[in-house]
Amino acid sequence: MTANLAHHAPFFAVKNGQLHVESVPATDIAERFGTPCYVYSRAALEASLDEFLNELTGVDALVCYAVKANSNLAVLNVFARRGAGFDIVSGGELQRALAAGADPKKIVFSGVGKSAEEMAFALKTGILCFNVESAPELERLNDVAGSLGLKAPISLRVNPNVDAKTHPYISTGLKENKFGVAYEDALAIYQRAAALPHIEVTGIDCHIGSQLLDPSPFAEALDKVLLLIDQLAASGITLHHIDLGGGLGIRYQDEGAPTVNSYLQPLLKKLKARSLKIVLEPGRRLVGNAGALLTKVEFLKPGEVKNFAIVDAAMNDLARPALYDAWHDIVPVVPRNTAPSSWEIVGPICESGDFLGHSRPLAIAPGDLLAIMSAGAYGMAMSSNYNTRPRVAEVMVDGDQAHLIRRRETVEELLALESLLP
Ligand SMILES: *Cc1c(COP(=O)(O)O)cnc(C)c1O
């Protein structure tokens, strides 16, 4: 099936015979910064955040962008300038968020394995809330806060055991997942938390999975969490905020991704009568369709069974196809008007799983540029140096300007971290 750019417009669109990112021709970006490179549209980032902010006008709510989806400082800064908070999962992400201008009071800290050092850093920073994911984590946090003479604000991440109906690797709200505490255990752990001297119970948290295309599991999870909130209230524990996590899906191919309105309105309706601040942790939805990976066709290898187009980007740059069999639209930067053939779009890495797309109808020649669309989320953030491939450059377009926001790594930089035996 042929790729369609309609859902990327107006930020990524073919104008005057070639793909533009906002007002900048993609060929200019490739020429100036080289390929492969990630390119993001600032206007697209802002538009996706605004979709949330507009739905939340007049509501006591905080959008905490999930840093792990795309943690480039310039991306974080675009969101921080618009008042967003951040959902972090490591001390490294906390440092990034602060370097990008985040307000500490708008940072929530998720993750199942927070170290004592990470806890101390976040406590001293004065973050909004720790999303605690287990009973032993609660004890450790109490100890660390005590040693610093501080009190740790916490939410318990509860596992509502709802089926997010997404890929098993990115489903997190089922009993068999490693995340959060079992719904049945939450009350007892909250009671323990309320009794700890260096813990301050402030909220409740759940995150049921990623790339959800049906909003109903969110409502189902919320119902369960509200029930728990009532049980907690009955036992004398009052919460101030409810964190509904992230997970709203995007359109990669032809999926019907829900609007932010259809996702949020049912939730807001259920929360209307309650005086709870709402925290949201969208990741993919804010950045996924705001980025593309530009790559160049190196060689064409037509064959009897399959035709291979070997491009200069690979699974180390964009792991999602190899990891989840994920689909990304692949479009020519300068479309040709010759007849397309079917191509396997593969990278130079020595793995058969190194593909970016299967059976794509494209009219291409060596040297052509391709754009791998919807690569703004879990693209660069999941990249690696496998095969000693330096990580690629990242560029952000703002109107008619393209800015380098992360320069390409060099092999020398990679080798500099290593040493020979004496
Ligand atoms: C990954 C993650 C998110 C963001 O998920 P998306 O699917 O990218 O929106 C939010 N909260 C937590 C706890 C996460 O682990």
Side-chain angles (χ1 to χ4, degrees), residues 142-317:
N142 180 63
D143 291 345
V144 175
S147 72
L148 294 169
L150 296 169
K151 237 178 156 171
I154 69 119
S155 278
L156 211 55
R157 175 167 175 184
V158 297
N159 193 333
N161 200 27
V162 301
D163 186 356
K165 304 180 192 97
T166 184
H167 191 286
Y169 284 12
I170 50 180
S171 173
T172 58
L174 283 171
K175 266 194 172 145
E176 61 259 37
N177 296 125
K178 70 175 174 181
F179 302 99
V181 303
Y183 188 80
E184 300 70 27
D185 301 339
L187 190 57
I189 301 175
Y190 263 113
Q191 280 163 342
R192 171 71 182 152
L196 288 170
H198 303 288
I199 295 291
E200 189 186 353
V201 174
T202 62
I204 192 162
D205 168 44
C206 76
H207 170 74
I208 57 174
S210 198
Q211 184 55 11
L212 271 74
L213 294 170
D214 171 2
S216 62
F218 291 111
E220 204 186 316
L222 176 56
D223 283 338
K224 288 194 151 182
V225 172
L226 288 176
L227 210 65
L228 193 54
I229 289 176
D230 293 338
Q231 288 171 8
L232 287 167
S235 79
I237 298 172
T238 315
L239 304 182
H240 306 293
H241 78 256
I242 179 167
D243 181 336
L244 298 171
L248 185 61
I250 62 168
R251 177 172 167 177
Y252 282 99
Q253 184 177 7
D254 51 8
E255 312 91 329
T259 60
V260 175
N261 176 277
S262 64
Y263 156 67
L264 277 182
Q265 284 314 319
L267 307 180
L268 294 178
K269 210 167 132 199
K270 289 180 194 291
L271 287 164
K272 209 166 179 180
R274 312 210 172 215
S275 54
L276 283 166
K277 181 192 182 84
I278 302 165
V279 177
L280 300 169
E281 303 171 349
R284 186 191 314 271
R285 183 70 182 215
L286 295 189
V287 292
N289 275 328
L293 175 61
L294 298 183
T295 184
K296 189 177 76 194
V297 177
E298 295 283 7
F299 301 108
L300 294 182
K301 260 176 97 167
E304 240 171 68
V305 184
K306 282 177 174 176
N307 299 321
F308 292 97
I310 298 153
V311 300
D312 62 1
M315 65 185 283
N316 73 298
D317 306 309

Side-chain angles (χ1 to χ4, degrees), residues 45 49 65 75-84 86 286-287:
L45 293 170
L49 177 59
Y65 165 64
V75 172
L76 303 184
N77 178 251
V78 164
F79 292 144
R81 287 194 208 197
R82 252 179 157 66
F86 297 94
L286 295 189
V287 292

